[in-house]
Structures are given as structure tokens and as C-alpha cells.
Amino acid sequence: MQSGIDLGRIFGIHIRIDWSWFLIFFLITWNLGTSFFALHPEWGAIAWITAIVAALLFFISVLAHELAHSLMARAQGIPVRNITLFLFGGVANIQREPQSPRAEFLITIVGPIASFVIGFALLSLAGLNTAAMETLNNPEAVVRQLTPLTTLLLWLGSVNVTLALFNLIPGFPLDGGRVLRSILWAATNNLRRATRWASWVGQAVAWLFIIAGVLMIFGGRVPVFGGGVVNGLWLVFIGWFLNNAAVQSYQQVVVQDLLDNVPVARMMRSNPPTV
């Protein structure tokens, strides 16, 4: 029995929320609320309302990312059981591996594309442009002058672009790792070998995250990720999760490869002991 809350169906795909989602929702809301209130103490309760709306819209963006994967998978003839939002964002429960490298590439790449489109559309609505960004000598002072709506659009647009870029990291089973696997699969014509190589790259990326997180915990600063104990612990946790996911994904492909075309009759007892 699966835990969580059922939200209904979108395009015939079941949408669920895992209980761990509430933890990350609270952390994002708390982090945004304190940041908004520090920059705009005059906002009062509006700072927390903006934070709650931003967190909700962020997960709607994650859902859109996973829906893009799911709809492309169905277009390739692969059934999708559900989409679950959980601690690390979202995951589409695609029922089987793609039948070709092309199908794998198409199913994978539409997710980051959807996040890029959402991100740049929101940044455009926030009124950002390259010329304006080049003239900002004091970004914090500019942020202090933004309205709640512009702040919301700016944060949400930036985080969607970041989400797309993060997913394109070539660490299997992230989207970038799956794109890498599709390329290796096309080159070797061997899904198992391509998965093994992509899994190795994924594990290497995961360990880089873990090492970077440990450095941050002990006072170091890492480009892009910054520093701090909390950020470091979070990066270690993400690295641990990615490492486990990379190993399990390869094991799953190995099992599927071994059991391919094996009838159930060969694996079952036809005359079990009865009482």
C-alpha cells in the first residue's frame, strides 16, 4: 500500500503527494519567508504569503516538468502509472524502459525544456533583460525595491532555470544522465552496457556532491552551492540519494535483461506443497 495523498488525475495520469513532500514544502516556505521578510520588513504578513505561494508554484513547476516526461513517454507507447511529488521534487512512474535510444532521448529532454520555457517566461514577465542586468551594481538594493509579484516571478523563474540546469548534470538517473545513456546506447547498441557506464558517471557525480557537501560543512565554499552547514548537509543528502539511485537503476536493468523472454512457468513451482 502506497502512503501519501491522492490529488486526482491530469491527462489521465494519477498525481500523488508523498508525506515527505510536506517537510520540503515547510523548509522552502520557511527559507523564503525569512529571506523576504529580511529584505522587505515593511511587507509584514505579505512576505509569508508570498513565500507560501512561491513554494506551491515551485512544485506546480516540478509537476509540469514530470508531466512533460510522462506525456512524451505515452506518445512513445509507454504507459505511465503516476507522478509522485516527494522530498527531492517529483518522479514519474514510467512502467518500462524505452525501446530505443531515440525514445529515451525524447522522453528525457522534454523535462528540462519545459523547465527552461517556464523559467524564461517567468523572468520575462518579471521584466528582466540582459541590458538591465549589466547595469546592476548593487543587486540587493534593486531587489529591495521589487514588489511582491515581481519578487515571486523573479525567484520562480530563476529556480526553474536552475532546476533545468541541475537536471542536465550527466549523473544517472538525472535527466542529463539519461541523455548520456541514450547517446551511449546509440553508440554501443547495448542498453545494459550503456546503463552501466551511465551509472558509473552518476556515482562519480554523487560522490563529488558528497565531498563538496562535507567541505561546506567544515567551512569551505563551493562555487554555485556556496557554503554553510545546512547547505552542506543538504548536498551530502542529495549525493547519497543519487548514488543509491544510480546503483539501483543499473541493478533494475540487469534484472530486466536477465528475465527478458523468460516465461513465468520457468520460474514458478507448478506443484507446490498443499495442506
Side-chain angles (χ1 to χ4, degrees), residues 2 9 12-15 70 74 78-83 92-95:
Q2 293 180 326
R9 295 178 180 272
I13 300 171
H14 205 66
I15 310 299
S70 301
R74 293 207 314 192
I78 303 175
V80 180
R81 177 177 295 174
N82 57 50
I83 294 174
N93 188 355
I94 298 174
Q95 293 296 283

Side-chain angles (χ1 to χ4, degrees), residues 2 13-18 20-21 59 61-70 80-95 163 167 173-175 178 241 245 249 252:
Q2 293 180 326
I13 300 171
H14 205 66
I15 310 299
R16 298 179 59 256
I17 288 181
D18 185 78
S20 63
W21 176 84
F59 282 103
S61 300
V62 172
L63 179 59
H65 179 108
E66 297 302 328
L67 275 172
H69 287 312
S70 301
V80 180
R81 177 177 295 174
N82 57 50
I83 294 174
T84 302
L85 299 177
F86 72 121
L87 182 64
F88 292 105
V91 60
N93 188 355
I94 298 174
Q95 293 296 283
L163 175 66
N167 271 280
L174 291 175
D175 291 344
R178 290 190 176 277
F241 174 80
S249 296
Q252 181 180 359

Side-chain angles (χ1 to χ4, degrees), residues 68 110 126 187 205 235:
V110 292
V205 170
L235 199 58

Side-chain angles (χ1 to χ4, degrees), residues 39-239:
L39 289 171
H40 303 278
E42 73 280 2
W43 284 5
I46 295 178
W48 291 101
I49 294 173
T50 304
I52 293 171
V53 172
L56 287 172
L57 290 177
F58 167 67
F59 282 103
I60 291 175
S61 300
V62 172
L63 179 59
H65 179 108
E66 297 302 328
L67 275 172
H69 287 312
S70 301
L71 294 176
M72 181 57 74
R74 293 207 314 192
Q76 299 296 320
I78 303 175
V80 180
R81 177 177 295 174
N82 57 50
I83 294 174
T84 302
L85 299 177
F86 72 121
L87 182 64
F88 292 105
V91 60
N93 188 355
I94 298 174
Q95 293 296 283
R96 64 172 184 266
E97 295 288 352
Q99 299 300 309
S100 67
R102 178 180 179 276
E104 166 108 290
F105 180 83
L106 291 175
I107 293 169
T108 303
I109 201 65
V110 292
I113 289 175
S115 294
F116 274 128
V117 170
I118 293 171
F120 287 122
L122 291 171
L123 289 176
S124 297
L125 288 174
L128 252 82
N129 56 70
T130 305
M133 291 298 291
E134 291 175 351
T135 61
L136 297 182
N137 296 319
N138 191 350
E140 184 173 331
V142 175
V143 170
R144 289 181 185 275
Q145 300 174 10
L146 299 178
T147 64
L149 178 59
T150 305
T151 301
L152 175 64
L153 293 173
L154 175 59
W155 180 82
L156 197 59
S158 301
V159 81
N160 269 279
V161 173
T162 303
L163 175 66
L165 292 173
F166 178 80
N167 271 280
L168 286 175
I169 294 174
F172 192 80
L174 291 175
D175 291 344
R178 290 190 176 277
V179 169
L180 174 63
R181 184 176 74 163
S182 70
I183 295 171
L184 294 172
W185 185 4
T188 63
N189 198 31
N190 187 312
L191 175 60
R192 183 171 174 178
R193 184 184 305 166
T195 305
R196 182 171 68 248
W197 291 350
S199 176
W200 287 346
V201 175
Q203 291 175 66
V205 170
W207 277 105
L208 286 176
F209 279 2
I210 293 172
I211 293 170
V214 171
L215 290 176
M216 291 164 64
I217 292 172
F218 287 96
R221 293 192 64 83
V222 178
V224 179
F225 296 107
V229 175
V230 175
N231 289 339
L233 286 172
W234 189 243
L235 199 58
V236 169
F237 198 29
I238 291 175

